[in-house]
Amino acid sequence: MKIKKITIMLSLLSGALVLASCSKDELTGYVPGGETIEVVKNDLLFDAKEGTATVEVKASGTISASVSSDWCTATVSGNVVSVSVQANEGFEGRTAVLTIRAEQGSRELPVQQRGMVLGRFSEPSHYVPMDGGAFSYTIRHDLPMSLTASASWIHTNVDGELFTINVDQNTTGHLRRGFVVSECAGYRDTLKIAQFDLMNDIIGSYYMMGYYGGVGGQAIAIRFDVVERNDSLFMHWTNDPNWTDTYLPVSLDRGTATLFFPSAMRLYNSGGNSDVAFFYDTNGTVCTSSASGANAFLEYNPTTGFNSARLTAGNWPGHTLGGFIIRSSRGNGLVVQNLLQMAEPVIMRVGPEGTTISDD
């Protein structure tokens, strides 16, 4: 009995000696790297522009850092990790992972960068009177943006998000046009500028010219006037006595000096007889909607001294303008004939209302 008790006591004493020989770390279950790295400050949320932010940490021993993407880099100075990002030239935000390592282990933090903010001109074109003038736009952007003018008479200035455009007085005596391009991170937006006098450059007498029987055929022309009545513009045909009282509305995009002529223009309608003007496409399909028609992008031609334009399809998606036709219908449509037909029509302003030019 005594021998058994002594054996038990020796066993207990031996266990106590083993415990006494263990370290404090072993007793607490500590494993190197088990503690977390404490983050004191974290500023890793970036706008789209390039920049640098820092992370301050508490950790023992040497600190190192790495990032998971090539659009950012990390450097370490003491207990501060600096993260630099390149400009984000996309509209979507992006995220990388920053890994900080020390004796305690490692810590991962997200690096977030917003997508770029880029505004546009609030209008596609702008009209400037002959006296010139300045106008401005507020365009949001968070990456560097530039303005470039196409002509020496257009001047630009950028002040933060305020973009100012100054146009000189037009002393040429005729229509002129130009444009301004804004550029940011490879993205471009264009503002068209037209400078003219309504009475001397738009209102007046025009000739529409083309080829009879298709391109290469006989050159033909027909005259009409663009007139102003009650602050609106109209096309007035005087080639036929039946048409003299007909005024057909046309529209003008002042910012581009573009006239729009609707199709299905009824020149005459009385007693079952009518004359209607249409535009048709290169396949011979006639445009029967007055909401569609032809655009005339007027430009000054220094050779002729006139404003002119080749007509193109207007509000007629999927069609290429082929020509112009005037159809006569008599006896409630019993007799239909083409009074005039021309391919590839061009218009030219030749002077004030009522001006004519000789066949020479």
Side-chain angles (χ1 to χ4, degrees):
M1 224 24 191
K2 288 182 179 180
I3 294 174
K4 186 176 182 180
K5 288 182 179 180
I6 291 172
T7 302
I8 293 172
M9 290 179 67
L10 289 172
S11 298
L12 292 172
L13 179 60
S14 175
L17 290 172
V18 171
L19 289 172
S21 67
C22 294
S23 69
K24 178 182 177 183
D25 291 343
E26 290 172 306
L27 289 174
T28 59
Y30 175 80
V31 178
E35 292 182 3
T36 59
I37 298 172
E38 182 181 352
V39 177
V40 179
K41 186 182 74 169
N42 179 5
D43 295 325
L44 299 183
L45 177 60
F46 296 88
D47 291 328
K49 58 181 177 293
E50 64 180 14
T52 300
T54 59
V55 177
E56 184 179 345
V57 300
K58 282 186 178 181
S60 58
T62 302
I63 298 172
S64 64
S66 62
V67 288
S68 63
S69 298
D70 58 5
W71 51 267
C72 55
T73 58
T75 58
V76 179
S77 177
N79 67 331
V80 176
V81 179
S82 296
V83 177
S84 298
V85 299
Q86 300 172 6
N88 185 358
E89 296 182 351
F91 294 105
E92 299 294 329
R94 56 188 180 183
T95 301
V97 176
L98 168 68
T99 302
I100 303 173
R101 296 179 178 85
E103 288 184 0
Q104 293 96 321
S106 62
R107 181 78 179 266
E108 292 185 347
L109 298 172
V111 180
Q112 297 174 299
Q113 187 178 29
R114 298 186 178 96
M116 65 182 292
V117 175
L118 179 59
R120 300 174 60 90
F121 291 113
S122 59
E123 56 183 355
S125 59
H126 191 85
Y127 163 72
V128 180
M130 297 293 273
D131 290 337
F135 51 99
S136 60
Y137 302 90
T138 299
I139 304 178
R140 291 189 60 200
H141 61 97
D142 49 11
L143 296 181
M145 179 180 280
S146 63
L147 285 184
T148 304
S150 66
S152 60
W153 48 273
I154 303 174
H155 312 279
T156 63
N157 182 67
V158 179
D159 183 9
E161 294 187 345
L162 184 65
F163 291 68
T164 302
I165 300 170
N166 196 307
V167 177
D168 292 342
Q169 182 182 9
N170 188 347
T171 58
T172 66
H174 58 73
L175 161 75
R176 65 181 179 183
R177 60 174 71 253
F179 58 87
V180 171
V181 176
S182 67
E183 185 167 6
C184 178
Y187 295 92
R188 292 185 175 187
D189 190 24
T190 301
L191 175 73
K192 298 175 182 177
I193 297 173
Q195 189 177 30
F196 59 87
D197 179 82
L198 181 65
M199 184 61 65
N200 293 325
D201 291 304
I202 306 298
I203 294 173
S205 184
Y206 288 77
Y207 277 84
M208 183 184 296
M209 299 165 288
Y211 299 99
Y212 178 75
V215 178
Q218 179 185 355
I220 57 175
I222 185 171
R223 196 185 70 81
F224 65 91
D225 292 324
V226 172
V227 301
E228 184 179 29
R229 303 179 69 182
N230 299 322
D231 296 325
S232 297
L233 296 182
F234 295 86
M235 175 187 281
H236 185 212
W237 298 83
T238 57
N239 312 82
D240 188 292
N242 291 327
W243 303 347
T244 54
D245 294 328
T246 302
Y247 291 84
L248 302 166
V250 298
S251 57
L252 170 67
D253 180 352
R254 288 176 176 261
T256 60
T258 300
L259 286 167
F260 171 73
F261 302 102
S263 192
M265 297 179 286
R266 192 172 296 277
L267 306 176
Y268 169 69
N269 185 32
S270 177
N273 301 323
S274 65
D275 297 330
V276 183
F278 299 95
F279 292 100
Y280 58 90
D281 67 9
T282 50
N283 294 321
T285 302
V286 172
C287 178
T288 58
S289 171
S290 60
S292 303
N295 287 330
F297 189 73
L298 291 172
E299 292 187 279
Y300 176 73
N301 186 327
T303 301
T304 64
F306 297 137
N307 295 333
S308 59
R310 180 174 296 279
L311 297 183
T312 59
N315 300 328
W316 203 12
H319 295 266
T320 300
L321 194 75
F324 176 75
I325 188 171
I326 299 178
R327 285 181 175 169
S328 172
S329 175
R330 296 294 183 261
N332 291 318
L334 295 177
V335 178
V336 178
Q337 61 177 338
N338 294 338
L339 298 181
L340 175 141
Q341 183 174 1
M342 66 174 66
E344 294 200 355
V346 174
I347 67 167
M348 181 171 65
R349 182 186 181 278
V350 296
E353 182 181 349
T355 300
T356 60
I357 58 177
S358 67
D359 293 337
D360 300 333

